[in-house]
Amino acid sequence: MASKPPPPSPAHLLRTHGAAIKALAFSDDNERLYSGDADGTVAVTNTRTLRPVAVWKAHTDGLLGIQEWDGQIITHGRDNKLHVWQRVQEPAAALGNSAAPLGLQTPQLCYSMDVNALNYCRFSLLPLAGASCTKECHALIAVPNLVESSFADVWTLSSRKRMHAAIGKGGRPDVPSLDGRSTNSTGIIMSMHLYENTHPHTSGRTSLRLLCGYENGAVTCWGYTRTDKETSIEGIGWDALWNVRLHVESVMAMAVSRDNSFALTVSADHLIGRYDIRTIEEDNADADTACTAHRTKHPGNASIDIHHDGRVCAVGGWDGKIRLYSTKSLKSLGALEYHKTSCQAVVFARPYPPSGAEGSTNTDEADDEMDEGDKVERGRWLAAGGQDQRVSLWTLMDFDGSREK
């Protein structure tokens, strides 16, 4: 009988941190991997050399989230601070030479914001473009409310002005509990995603949406429905467009597809929740039928991410395994095993576009020194961070069987 093939191993391992990994993010060009740990340390790793170019104590407590944006780095910590740093510039020689020495840098702090970090809920960034983008407002950022952790605020960057306050206060939804009784006690916000919804019938018209996952296992989509004012207080103008409770336990993590067409959630239970946002918005479908809970054999999940093509997702479990699923059917595509303890963060790299395709860039001479095949392979990376203080990098295959139309 043919022997069973050995399980895959990580392509690379990063041992930069001295505490449990809590947050991971790739830059849009895949040139940098950002990682943050439970002690507040952030590392920037060059993905060509797999060496850190910057390691610094960004927060006095653990990281909740990290993201590169507009030449800057946003870090969000449990110390009730959100910092915006100037992105470090790698030495040009190091970009294309794995043997070049890299001196560790500390980014310059641009500005900070006081935030409420009781929730363990990371920020959600919405970059703006076109007429919406002004000198003082390049992006909107959603964070838990400063006073009440079951509400949310939306601020502007870089002006740091609060645009919307206490979202959820003006119209709390009645979410049916598991025993059939009605309750409006959602608990604190555990995860959020801020996005713009394009009007299906009016060209150029958009409205803000905020998707929130709550402590009681529910997910609510809030929509700003006023057109006469751009700002709000006390949650006025924000309505609960739909709300569904699929999980038995708190929503531990939520991921939304790149086109905002659907979302996935995981929890301490064995369920993966799927929410067909586009079907609800455009087809006026009932949320109870457009949102479904898929049972798995694996309770206890801490993190989730969706590949940029929207067809595959990765779930990090409390047992340290990373499980891959088709996002349409939620059928299992296999598991990756390396971490022995909880996998707190997973993130897909950006797919590498073919030469000459829209979105491809060639920003430096060193870019030519990287083989085309290496760029494609790097675009198939999945990064995972565990309580074992390590970051594993996996090169994934193309899951053609999962690409259901």
Side-chain angles (χ1 to χ4, degrees):
M1 295 178 62
S3 60
K4 186 178 180 179
S9 300
H12 308 284
L13 289 173
L14 306 180
R15 297 179 173 89
T16 308
H17 291 271
I21 307 300
K22 294 294 184 179
L24 290 171
F26 280 100
S27 61
D28 286 339
D29 58 7
N30 285 338
E31 291 290 340
R32 293 161 295 282
L33 174 63
Y34 296 92
S35 52
D37 66 28
D39 284 343
T41 298
V42 170
V44 184
T45 300
N46 182 302
T47 58
R48 294 170 181 256
T49 65
L50 295 178
R51 296 179 181 181
V53 295
V55 179
W56 78 102
K57 185 80 169 179
H59 294 270
T60 58
D61 208 335
L63 264 290
L64 293 174
I66 186 168
Q67 184 173 341
E68 181 181 299
W69 164 70
D70 196 28
Q72 298 174 321
I73 308 166
I74 301 175
T75 63
H76 185 188
R78 291 227 59 225
D79 55 0
N80 300 305
K81 292 289 186 179
L82 187 144
H83 298 313
V84 179
W85 312 80
Q86 189 65 39
R87 202 193 87 194
V88 296
Q89 299 296 324
E90 298 101 316
L95 287 174
N97 183 2
S98 60
L102 294 178
L104 295 181
Q105 306 175 52
T106 299
Q108 180 182 352
L109 181 62
C110 300
Y111 54 88
S112 300
M113 291 174 55
D114 292 323
V115 295
N116 173 14
L118 172 67
N119 304 43
Y120 292 88
C121 174
R122 65 154 283 170
F123 67 90
S124 177
L125 184 74
L126 174 62
L128 299 176
S132 301
C133 184
T134 65
K135 184 177 181 180
E136 292 189 346
C137 181
H138 297 92
L140 300 179
I141 190 166
V143 291
N145 180 259
L146 285 169
V147 177
E148 175 53 61
S149 297
S150 62
F151 304 148
D153 294 341
V154 175
W155 297 74
T156 61
L157 292 181
S158 56
S159 59
R160 288 168 284 167
K161 294 180 180 178
R162 188 158 63 172
M163 192 170 185
H164 299 283
I167 298 169
K169 185 175 184 179
R172 273 179 169 267
D174 288 335
V175 181
S177 61
L178 295 180
D179 59 7
R181 294 179 298 176
S182 180
T183 175
N184 62 0
S185 179
T186 59
I188 64 177
I189 299 175
M190 302 295 292
S191 186
M192 59 175 62
H193 176 72
L194 182 67
Y195 66 102
E196 284 185 310
N197 179 64
T198 303
H199 196 281
H201 307 300
T202 306
S203 176
R205 181 179 171 184
T206 61
S207 55
L208 281 180
R209 298 283 189 268
L210 182 65
L211 201 64
C212 293
Y214 289 94
E215 188 179 17
N216 74 335
V219 170
T220 301
C221 182
W222 298 95
Y224 189 57
T225 57
R226 295 188 64 172
T227 57
D228 58 329
K229 294 190 68 175
E230 291 187 352
T231 61
S232 68
I233 58 172
E234 301 296 312
I236 298 173
W238 286 88
D239 297 327
L241 304 182
W242 54 267
N243 52 269
V244 175
R245 185 182 181 187
L246 299 180
H247 290 285
V248 180
E249 304 287 347
S250 302
V251 174
M252 298 302 297
M254 176 171 63
V256 181
S257 63
R258 192 170 178 84
D259 61 359
N260 297 313
S261 62
F262 69 94
L264 300 174
T265 57
V266 292
S267 176
D269 57 32
H270 65 291
L271 304 173
I272 299 178
R274 179 184 164 104
Y275 311 82
D276 285 313
I277 302 171
R278 181 172 294 169
T279 301
I280 299 172
E281 290 273 3
E282 297 183 4
D283 300 338
N284 296 318
D286 183 73
D288 290 329
T289 58
C291 303
T292 52
H294 295 264
R295 292 175 173 81
T296 73
K297 300 178 181 178
H298 312 287
N301 297 298
S303 54
I304 187 169
D305 193 33
I306 299 173
H307 191 270
H308 276 223
D309 65 9
R311 292 165 174 166
V312 176
C313 71
V315 175
W318 290 356
D319 59 1
K321 294 181 180 179
I322 305 121
R323 296 180 173 88
L324 304 172
Y325 297 91
S326 160
T327 59
K328 183 176 182 180
S329 65
L330 271 301
K331 292 180 180 178
S332 175
L333 301 175
L336 306 174
E337 300 183 34
Y338 171 77
H339 302 280
K340 302 302 182 184
T341 53
S342 183
C343 184
Q344 300 287 326
V346 290
V347 63
F348 286 100
R350 275 57 170 169
Y352 175 70
S355 178
E358 183 180 356
S360 64
T361 58
N362 187 9
T363 56
D364 53 67
E365 294 181 359
D367 195 54
D368 294 333
E369 299 179 18
M370 191 173 191
D371 182 78
E372 188 90 0
D374 291 336
K375 297 177 188 177
V376 173
E377 179 180 349
R378 187 177 61 174
R380 298 204 308 268
W381 278 3
L382 170 69
Q387 286 187 335
D388 55 8
Q389 308 173 10
R390 297 177 181 180
V391 176
S392 58
L393 293 172
W394 307 79
T395 302
L396 301 182
M397 58 180 281
D398 289 327
F399 294 98
D400 293 331
S402 70
R403 303 194 173 204
E404 301 153 321
K405 299 296 183 180

